[in-house]
Amino acid sequence: MGFYNIDATARLVEWRKTGWGEQGIRNLRFGDVHTDIVADGDTVRVVSDKEYVLKVNGKKYKVKAGTQAFTLK
């Protein structure tokens, strides 16, 4: 799936995303964080109950509680 580092202490998820179809993970729990991370093409949609940092292919995105989308560059 490409998720290679999930660190609850640092509140960090690192993902090496490849391909363009829908991919990701739902219902991921690490520490006290519960999140969905799903990409479709170059858009990543995230739902989370807490803040953390999502690093996709080396670029960092600050995830806030709630629902948001990031466009990968």
Side-chain angles (χ1 to χ4, degrees):
M1 288 191 309
F3 293 92
Y4 63 94
N5 182 30
I6 300 172
D7 186 333
T9 304
R11 285 195 175 193
L12 172 68
V13 175
E14 293 184 271
W15 183 18
R16 189 172 301 113
K17 181 190 168 301
T18 59
W20 289 99
E22 185 176 278
Q23 57 188 294
I25 190 166
R26 298 186 199 283
N27 296 313
L28 173 64
R29 291 184 181 269
F30 62 103
D32 64 347
V33 177
H34 180 222
T35 190
D36 297 337
I37 307 166
V38 179
D40 192 359
D42 63 353
T43 301
V44 178
R45 298 196 192 301
V46 180
V47 179
S48 181
D49 64 349
K50 303 267 190 316
E51 291 185 358
Y52 66 93
V53 173
L54 173 63
K55 192 172 181 182
V56 182
N57 296 340
K59 181 165 170 87
K60 290 183 181 180
Y61 300 89
K62 184 172 182 172
V63 174
K64 298 178 182 177
T67 302
Q68 59 211 291
F70 303 104
T71 301
L72 303 178
K73 297 181 183 186

